[in-house]
Amino acid sequence: MSLLVLGTVAFDAIETPFGKTERVIGGAATYISLAASFFRTPIYLVSIVGDDFPQAFLDELQARGIDTGGVQVVQGEKSFFWSGRYHNDLNTRDTLDTQLNVLTKFTGEIPPAYQNAEYVMLGNLDPKLQLKGLESVSRKPKLAVMDTMNLWLDIARPAVEEVLAKVDVLSINDEEARQLTGEYSLVTAARKILAMGPEYVVIKKGEHGALLFHQDEVFVAPALPLEQVFDPTGAGDCFAGGFIGYLAESGDVTYENLKSAVMFGSVMASFCVEKFGPERLLEIDSNDIQQRLKQFLSLMRVSAEMPPR
Amino acid sequence: MSLLVLGTVAFDAIETPFGKTERVIGGAATYISLAASFFRTPIYLVSIVGDDFPQAFLDELQARGIDTGGVQVVQGEKSFFWSGRYHNDLNTRDTLDTQLNVLTKFTGEIPPAYQNAEYVMLGNLDPKLQLKGLESVSRKPKLAVMDTMNLWLDIARPAVEEVLAKVDVLSINDEEARQLTGEYSLVTAARKILAMGPEYVVIKKGEHGALLFHQDEVFVAPALPLEQVFDPTGAGDCFAGGFIGYLAESGDVTYENLKSAVMFGSVMASFCVEKFGPERLLEIDSNDIQQRLKQFLSLMRVSAEMPPR
């Protein structure tokens, strides 16, 4: 089934304790669509770049089954640029520079050919554009997932809440869940978010894994214990891409299958952090994914029974 | 099989964001032996208290199958006292007061009747006393587990390392694992700890669960997502008590069974944090444990398979 991905395609400059890049390709929609492209689903990518963005990379995406016809290339403009420095724990970072550039011209218009998409992934973006994208889809999607970030909670909370009321899944990190709800406990935060509209909430906790909440149910997925997280940039987006890509291929949006999707999200995120930018995603194939999934499942394999009393 | 528990029996005064207690019963060995007492294994408790410690509580322990004959009551002395205040995140705390009192007289002497114990739990204590306790056991125990804390790493590291070389399992929290090894990554930290002697390392991460490392294997256990952690005091000790209590009852120290033991440790810790001090442990029974275990296993239940390619 077809998957619409709305979000940024951009440049990043990243510093981590392990190294530094000048300018690499980044953007939420880049990571999402790359991670989703390992699943058999047509992907419609809607984004905007300047004329500095390498056509070769768009061609690479296209070759991977991602329809980039919805990526608007604006002559005379520069692509969105973000630069950040991660602290030693890799869970916190400082933004060094944000240049919106061409992003100020983005309208979130969905090309007519994409409006029949059955799965919709709203990457982190101005919630007004997320809303416009979602409303452009011609019928209610089988599943709509949104991500957001602290910036939008600070400056556009009502619009975030408006999108939230219309999607099926919110995918968010722990600090954002706390900011959105004013609750420290993630269980209470999730309960409040579910009351705001979505049927599911995924709370991503980085090296501590992810939680999926649905009604009174919780599923806890581990992160892969790694010796070295090289660069966490894009990990949350890869999670979202693996999550929705798997669901779009399987066409099954039951709670049980969303739990499986969380595992594929975790798998894709675990590859992402192994190298700078999207580099690692360009190297792996579906065998690697299968192997990594096995590794994840073996992390959680246990039987335990209270001895008879 | 018999379980020897060496550690403190004491008083605590605790402040959390949810309330404050004047003076409640605490101590690592109290929590360990209470948590272990839900499993069918004779427990030999070795500790020291002053004449201010309530005999009724020792009687309560005795009634629960914990042999308190090894708890020395010193007339004219006060019991060990610790007071602390937890921060809002409940993962960090400040020590407000520590009064060693009778603890300065503790020799770690193991009564002859206890020296045939097959399982040994060395609660957080001066490593010299842990070593003495371990060496008093007449034959090599089937499994010896140690806990420790930052204080001993600061002031008695060589002795900690000496004990570490002689036990089978180190049970430690994430910050202590980092302090012990100088490694931020818990995977690297665990590898270094395994190289120091023990066959297994359990790293406790509070609300993020626990990791069990053995050779190149890792098992990840979740914590129960709770709306409210009332008081984390003793949670790590309850983990250790549930862990070794289950192992002592089952008599099986394979890696597979240690994974099950991690689940029972997590279950006991999840009860502990629900009320102040050991209060909650005095209310539950084996049915509650069985129910909670089911809840834990359902948190982790998932099947996931890469769709055929």
Side-chain angles (χ1 to χ4, degrees):
Chain A
M1 307 204 180
S2 51
L3 167 62
L4 173 67
V5 177
L6 180 71
T8 53
V9 171
F11 289 120
D12 292 337
I14 304 158
E15 286 178 43
T16 79
F18 307 108
K20 190 175 161 164
T21 62
E22 260 327 298
R23 198 174 81 156
V24 293
I25 285 165
T30 306
Y31 286 106
I32 293 167
S33 54
L34 265 175
S37 72
F38 291 95
F39 299 90
R40 290 190 173 158
T41 179
I43 298 173
Y44 305 146
L45 176 56
V46 176
S47 192
I48 193 166
V49 293
D51 61 10
D52 56 349
F53 197 83
Q55 182 60 41
F57 192 82
L58 294 177
D59 293 344
E60 171 80 36
L61 294 181
Q62 186 77 37
R64 289 168 176 266
I66 301 162
D67 186 337
T68 57
V71 181
Q72 200 187 338
V73 183
V74 184
Q75 297 302 317
E77 289 278 354
K78 283 178 163 181
S79 302
F80 173 48
F81 173 77
W82 174 83
S83 159
R85 184 191 292 130
Y86 288 87
H87 300 178
N88 274 332
D89 65 4
L90 290 169
N91 274 333
T92 50
R93 66 185 187 190
D94 298 324
T95 289
L96 301 176
D97 193 8
T98 305
Q99 298 170 19
L100 290 178
N101 297 330
V102 74
L103 201 57
T104 57
K105 300 213 155 51
F106 193 36
T107 62
E109 204 85 51
I110 308 297
Y114 291 3
Q115 294 176 4
N116 65 347
E118 289 152 306
Y119 287 77
V120 176
M121 178 68 223
L122 305 171
N124 170 35
L125 199 65
D126 182 335
K128 287 182 212 71
L129 300 181
Q130 290 182 317
L131 194 62
K132 188 162 171 195
L134 187 58
E135 287 177 342
S136 304
V137 177
S138 54
R139 51 181 171 179
K140 191 179 154 31
K142 207 156 167 198
L143 196 82
V145 180
M146 79 178 280
D147 191 4
T148 190
M149 72 182 291
N150 49 1
L151 171 71
W152 308 117
L153 295 173
D154 286 337
I155 67 171
R157 175 180 285 262
V160 171
E161 291 182 3
E162 208 180 332
V163 187
L164 198 49
K166 295 185 188 217
V167 296
D168 303 291
V169 184
L170 174 67
S171 168
I172 196 174
N173 77 31
D174 43 4
E175 281 320 307
E176 292 155 357
R178 289 178 172 131
Q179 191 187 344
L180 176 56
T181 60
E183 295 289 344
Y184 186 82
S185 154
L186 296 178
V187 179
T188 315
R191 198 161 33 74
K192 285 197 171 180
I193 293 168
L194 292 176
M196 294 164 100
E199 235 194 297
Y200 300 93
V201 185
V202 181
I203 299 183
K204 297 167 286 185
K205 303 196 297 171
E207 61 158 331
H208 302 301
L211 305 171
L212 170 66
F213 293 90
H214 171 59
Q215 294 170 0
D216 293 328
E217 309 244 34
V218 196
F219 170 63
V220 184
L224 196 68
L226 292 167
E227 293 237 13
Q228 188 176 298
V229 169
F230 197 79
D231 171 19
T233 309
D237 299 313
C238 286
F239 180 97
F243 177 82
I244 200 163
Y246 167 76
L247 290 172
E249 176 172 349
S250 66
D252 170 356
V253 293
T254 58
Y255 174 56
E256 281 307 310
N257 206 44
L258 260 77
K259 285 160 57 175
S260 312
V262 166
M263 298 308 298
F264 282 102
S266 305
V267 163
M268 298 315 299
S270 78
F271 285 118
C272 182
V273 303
E274 291 179 342
K275 294 201 173 176
F276 268 125
E279 195 181 338
R280 187 72 180 115
L281 295 179
L282 299 173
E283 298 172 348
I284 58 171
D285 62 22
S286 60
N287 280 331
D288 298 315
I289 295 174
Q290 204 147 8
Q291 287 312 309
R292 184 61 59 89
L293 176 66
K294 273 189 199 163
Q295 233 180 312
F296 263 92
L297 293 172
S298 82
L299 287 178
M300 315 164 66
R301 191 168 298 128
V302 68
S303 66
E305 229 180 304
M306 187 76 183
R309 286 290 175 264
Chain B
M1 306 203 180
S2 51
L3 167 61
L4 172 67
V5 177
L6 180 71
T8 53
V9 171
F11 290 120
D12 290 339
I14 304 159
E15 286 178 42
T16 79
F18 306 109
K20 191 174 163 166
T21 61
E22 262 325 300
R23 197 174 82 155
V24 293
I25 286 164
T30 305
Y31 286 106
I32 292 167
S33 54
L34 265 175
S37 72
F38 292 94
F39 299 90
R40 292 191 172 157
T41 177
I43 299 173
Y44 305 145
L45 176 55
V46 176
S47 193
I48 193 165
V49 293
D51 60 12
D52 55 350
F53 198 82
Q55 182 61 40
F57 192 82
L58 294 178
D59 293 344
E60 171 80 37
L61 294 181
Q62 187 78 36
R64 289 168 176 267
I66 301 162
D67 186 336
T68 56
V71 181
Q72 200 187 338
V73 183
V74 184
Q75 297 302 318
E77 288 278 352
K78 283 178 163 183
S79 302
F80 174 47
F81 173 77
W82 174 83
S83 159
R85 183 191 293 130
Y86 288 87
H87 300 178
N88 274 332
D89 66 3
L90 291 169
N91 274 332
T92 50
R93 67 185 186 190
D94 298 324
T95 289
L96 301 176
D97 193 6
T98 304
Q99 298 170 18
L100 290 178
N101 297 331
V102 74
L103 201 56
T104 57
K105 301 213 158 50
F106 194 36
T107 62
E109 204 84 50
I110 308 297
Y114 292 2
Q115 293 176 5
N116 65 344
E118 288 151 308
Y119 288 76
V120 175
M121 178 68 223
L122 305 171
N124 170 35
L125 198 66
D126 181 335
K128 285 180 215 73
L129 300 182
Q130 291 182 318
L131 195 63
K132 190 164 171 195
L134 188 58
E135 288 178 341
S136 304
V137 177
S138 52
R139 51 182 170 182
K140 192 181 153 29
K142 210 160 165 196
L143 196 81
V145 181
M146 79 178 280
D147 192 3
T148 190
M149 73 181 290
N150 50 3
L151 171 71
W152 308 118
L153 295 174
D154 286 336
I155 66 171
R157 175 180 286 260
V160 171
E161 292 182 4
E162 209 179 332
V163 187
L164 197 49
K166 296 186 187 213
V167 295
D168 303 290
V169 184
L170 174 67
S171 169
I172 196 174
N173 78 30
D174 43 5
E175 282 319 307
E176 291 155 358
R178 289 179 172 129
Q179 191 187 344
L180 175 57
T181 59
E183 295 289 342
Y184 185 82
S185 154
L186 296 178
V187 179
T188 315
R191 199 162 33 73
K192 283 198 171 178
I193 293 168
L194 291 176
M196 294 163 100
E199 236 195 296
Y200 300 94
V201 184
V202 181
I203 298 182
K204 297 167 285 182
K205 303 196 296 172
E207 61 159 331
H208 301 302
L211 305 170
L212 170 67
F213 293 90
H214 170 59
Q215 293 172 359
D216 293 327
E217 310 244 35
V218 196
F219 170 63
V220 183
L224 196 69
L226 292 167
E227 293 238 14
Q228 188 175 297
V229 169
F230 198 80
D231 171 18
T233 309
D237 298 314
C238 286
F239 180 97
F243 176 83
I244 200 164
Y246 167 76
L247 290 172
E249 175 171 351
S250 67
D252 170 356
V253 293
T254 57
Y255 174 56
E256 281 308 311
N257 206 45
L258 262 76
K259 285 160 58 176
S260 312
V262 167
M263 298 308 299
F264 282 102
S266 304
V267 163
M268 298 315 299
S270 78
F271 284 118
C272 181
V273 302
E274 290 179 342
K275 294 202 171 174
F276 268 125
E279 194 181 338
R280 187 72 180 116
L281 294 179
L282 299 173
E283 298 172 348
I284 58 171
D285 62 22
S286 62
N287 281 330
D288 297 314
I289 294 174
Q290 204 148 7
Q291 286 312 310
R292 186 60 60 89
L293 176 66
K294 274 190 197 160
Q295 232 181 313
F296 263 92
L297 293 172
S298 82
L299 288 178
M300 314 164 68
R301 192 168 298 127
V302 68
S303 66
E305 229 180 303
M306 188 76 182
R309 285 291 174 266

